[in-house]
Amino acid sequence: MKTEIGALAAGDSYPASQKPDRSAPARPRFVPTVVAAMGLFAGTAEAQEALPVAGRSTDLAVHAHTSWATGPIDHDPASPARTLSGDRVTRIITIPSVTSGQAPNKIEIAPMFSPEVFSGFFPPQWDAHRNTLLEDQYFAPSPTTQHLLPSLNGFRQRLGNYGVGFQMSYKAEALGVASGGKERGMEYIHEVNFRVDLDLKKMLGLDGWSVHGLILERAGRSVGKQKLGDYYINYGEIYGLSGNSAAHLGFLYAEKRLLNNRVDIIFGRMPLSTDFATSPLICTFMLLCSAPVALKLDAGLSVYPKASWGARIRMRPTRDTVLQFGAYQVRPTASDISGWAWAGEETTGAAFPVEFTWQPFFGSKKLVGHYKVGYMHDTSIYADNIGKLSPALAKGNGVFARTSQRDSVWVLFDQMIYRSGGVTQMDGAYVLAGYVHNTPRNSIYSDEAWAGASFAGLIPGRNHDRLGVLYNYYRVSPRLETGQRIREDAGFSLDATVAGPQKTTSVIEVNYGIDAMHGLLIQPEFEYVFRPGGTSRIPNAAVLGVKVIGIL
């Protein structure tokens, strides 16, 4: 049975009374959106909590406008599950929940102008914005919507009534080299984190204000460094910038919604990679989480769980576009390992990222896509990758070291190609690809490119299991390679972490995430590494392992 409240049920086409007027093509495409915009500017752009519908306890009531997707992401708790509250809505439609007890729709930012940009050129029947609204939960995998300890749900609800939300999670990874590399063997890493979200409207009456914080504990060793001789790529998801830490501050920032929830601002201690050049989908892969390696590898960039002072502004100019920009402190990666030594930090400069996203929905199946382009300028002064050369070597090879600032550009996309039966943005199969380019003079990786696919519901009855296949290519900066070759040819030894002049590394990753039970993900992992460490002097390697995520 489909339920309708003043609009359309999920999957319905236009009712006869609302069919587009083909004699006046502009009206069905823009008039309804203008009317919706009038409602927004009248102050009715906020979404209500999920409303009960008679006879359908699992129906979710959502606002008529679409929104940028965020949710309780298992890989990076810095992306909060945000829900707006309000007294009125302009239009309600109901969408059946995929799983009983699933979290309600998360609405983030209302559009500033209702007409679309690129999607406005589509025939009305192509764009799912025009008839039914897709639920906005863009995260993976599904255990993040449930908990291992449902007995705590009542306690969570009582705290939530006072504006306090919390989440505890445990993540473990075991990866081992089965063949090739420097040596055989396995390494183990784990992360335990505790997150708190405070709704200051409920607590103190401060409308639009909230505070988010996370503390984590990490321990273990990197299989890349220990077994593969690769000091650039982690190969696992957890081990990285923070190293072993008993109580690392992952983030602590405030959030403010302005202009009837059309503008979202966050500021405080936070990672840049939570919002830029990333998505929940890419974090179903160990190699990409929580940001492309080419961006997070170089010293200074604020990548989860390494936080720095910063601010980010996000807005939705139209229903199908998102624009965000920010400013972040840049500091040496090794400084302030615990995340608490704010007064002793060394600041080298500031990073200024900007990113534009187009988010279309195609057809009656609501096949969603995310197409992103971004740019970032880092004002820090970095040394030349050519390294320190004697005047004779530099002159003989025609190269001279010069310090410079750093620029990065990225293009990412993912597009759903089929839907596996659910209504959320993760209930289906995607193709995805991306490319990152950094200033070659001072970046370890000048280029990174990847392409892959993510399939949900391949096995009947297992709609929330997900198969992922990814090919990732890394190009060491030609400037860095040139410096290494000059020194080696001159008879000098290279760094102890470098087996030889470095050029490229490629990795194939295959994983299968099993939604074992509510709140528990088990994901077997396979990786095949071509040229570990960027050199052919280390044999190609096969890596096997498993990841386990428990949401308490």
Side-chain angles (χ1 to χ4, degrees):
M1 179 183 72
K2 294 179 179 178
T3 306
E4 182 178 331
I5 304 183
L8 302 170
D12 282 348
S13 59
Y14 278 99
S17 61
Q18 298 182 22
K19 285 187 177 179
D21 182 0
R22 300 299 182 186
S23 64
R27 287 190 59 192
R29 299 173 64 178
F30 295 107
V31 171
T33 57
V34 171
V35 172
M38 293 172 62
L40 295 176
F41 283 98
T44 59
E46 296 182 346
Q48 284 185 332
E49 302 290 341
L51 301 180
V53 180
R56 289 293 296 274
S57 60
T58 59
D59 278 357
L60 303 180
V62 295
H63 190 264
H65 70 73
T66 189
S67 56
W68 176 242
T70 57
I73 303 171
D74 61 45
H75 77 278
D76 183 355
S79 289
R82 302 181 175 103
T83 303
L84 307 185
S85 61
D87 298 327
R88 296 179 296 168
V89 292
T90 56
R91 175 178 170 219
I92 296 293
I93 63 174
T94 58
I95 297 177
S97 175
V98 178
T99 305
S100 178
Q102 188 175 34
N105 180 51
K106 306 300 179 184
I107 299 295
E108 187 174 351
I109 302 176
M112 303 189 76
F113 303 98
S114 193
E116 295 140 333
V117 178
F118 305 109
S119 301
F121 293 99
F122 297 160
Q125 64 271 24
W126 282 17
D127 188 358
H129 283 306
R130 303 186 188 284
N131 47 21
T132 58
L133 181 68
L134 178 67
E135 196 176 359
D136 199 18
Q137 295 173 342
Y138 179 42
F139 56 88
S142 59
T144 52
T145 64
Q146 305 287 346
H147 298 92
L148 280 169
L149 301 177
S151 58
L152 291 177
N153 289 345
F155 178 62
R156 295 176 194 275
Q157 181 62 46
R158 288 191 295 273
L159 283 182
N161 293 335
Y162 292 98
V164 179
F166 71 93
Q167 176 175 290
M168 298 174 289
S169 68
Y170 168 78
K171 183 186 299 183
E173 297 172 358
L175 292 173
V177 176
S179 66
K182 289 184 64 178
E183 61 179 272
R184 306 283 180 87
M186 179 170 287
E187 299 293 346
Y188 166 84
I189 310 168
H190 75 248
E191 173 182 305
V192 180
N193 68 55
F194 177 75
R195 174 189 173 124
V196 174
D197 299 286
L198 305 178
D199 184 340
L200 299 189
K201 181 178 180 180
K202 291 183 178 180
M203 298 179 69
L204 303 173
L206 300 177
D207 190 30
W209 283 94
S210 57
V211 174
H212 312 277
L214 179 139
I215 297 175
L216 58 93
E217 182 266 344
R218 280 184 168 184
R221 300 202 310 173
S222 166
V223 70
K225 294 179 181 179
Q226 305 298 328
K227 308 299 182 186
L228 295 175
D230 194 327
Y231 284 76
Y232 295 158
I233 306 172
N234 288 325
Y235 296 97
E237 175 184 329
I238 297 174
Y239 195 88
L241 299 172
S242 66
N244 295 337
S245 183
H248 178 85
L249 179 64
F251 56 81
L252 179 61
Y253 64 89
E255 180 176 15
K256 170 61 176 174
R257 297 296 175 85
L258 303 170
L259 302 177
N260 288 328
N261 300 312
R262 295 186 189 88
V263 177
D264 178 78
I265 300 176
I266 61 175
F267 56 92
R269 300 279 303 184
M270 56 193 184
L272 180 153
S273 65
T274 296
D275 293 299
F276 294 90
T278 189
S279 79
L281 184 66
I282 71 172
C283 232
T284 60
F285 298 98
M286 287 190 176
L287 292 171
L288 287 175
C289 194
S290 59
V293 175
L295 288 177
K296 66 183 178 182
L297 183 60
D298 290 303
L301 188 61
S302 173
V303 176
Y304 177 83
K306 175 193 170 187
S308 62
W309 295 109
R312 186 268 293 149
I313 300 176
R314 178 182 290 162
M315 62 189 70
R316 181 179 286 277
T318 65
R319 293 194 300 162
D320 60 340
T321 61
V322 176
L323 178 65
Q324 59 179 358
F325 50 91
Y328 296 81
Q329 171 198 26
V330 176
R331 58 185 175 85
T333 301
S335 69
D336 190 11
I337 294 298
S338 70
W340 297 96
W342 301 349
E345 289 180 334
E346 174 190 358
T347 300
T348 61
F352 299 97
V354 59
E355 184 178 85
F356 174 83
T357 301
W358 175 46
Q359 183 182 353
F361 293 79
F362 296 105
S364 61
K365 297 295 185 181
K366 311 174 192 65
L367 303 180
V368 62
H370 304 85
Y371 297 79
K372 304 183 180 185
V373 58
Y375 166 77
M376 180 175 62
H377 178 68
D378 182 351
T379 65
S380 303
I381 303 299
Y382 295 97
D384 196 318
N385 277 331
I386 204 69
K388 295 181 180 180
L389 301 176
S390 67
L393 276 178
K395 183 176 181 181
N397 289 276
V399 294
F400 300 93
R402 177 172 61 85
T403 59
S404 61
Q405 298 179 346
R406 178 179 295 140
D407 294 284
S408 301
V409 295
W410 59 86
V411 179
L412 292 73
F413 90 89
D414 57 69
Q415 177 61 58
M416 181 180 281
I417 55 176
Y418 78 79
R419 183 166 291 283
S420 62
V423 297
T424 73
Q425 293 193 29
M426 292 308 298
D427 287 311
Y430 281 84
V431 292
L432 67 153
Y435 171 72
V436 175
H437 176 75
N438 297 317
T439 302
R441 182 176 292 274
N442 54 32
S443 300
I444 296 177
Y445 283 133
S446 61
D447 301 273
E448 178 183 0
W450 65 89
S454 179
F455 303 92
L458 288 180
I459 299 177
R462 305 292 306 175
N463 282 353
H464 297 295
D465 288 1
R466 182 170 294 274
L467 171 67
V469 180
L470 183 77
Y471 173 78
N472 213 323
Y473 168 86
Y474 309 89
R475 175 62 167 102
V476 171
S477 166
R479 190 79 172 172
L480 179 59
E481 179 192 5
T482 298
Q484 292 171 343
R485 292 192 182 281
I486 290 174
R487 286 190 292 275
E488 186 177 61
D489 292 343
F492 295 99
S493 61
L494 301 179
D495 187 277
T497 63
V498 178
Q502 299 170 302
K503 188 172 184 178
T504 64
T505 298
S506 299
V507 186
I508 296 174
E509 177 182 354
V510 181
N511 60 57
Y512 188 82
I514 303 170
D515 183 13
M517 58 184 293
H518 288 338
L520 180 64
L521 169 78
I522 301 175
Q523 180 173 302
E525 176 83 9
F526 169 78
E527 298 171 2
Y528 192 82
V529 186
F530 300 90
R531 298 171 54 90
T535 173
S536 59
R537 298 180 186 180
I538 300 177
N540 296 346
V543 179
L544 299 174
V546 64
K547 174 172 69 175
V548 176
I549 301 175
I551 308 297
L552 303 178

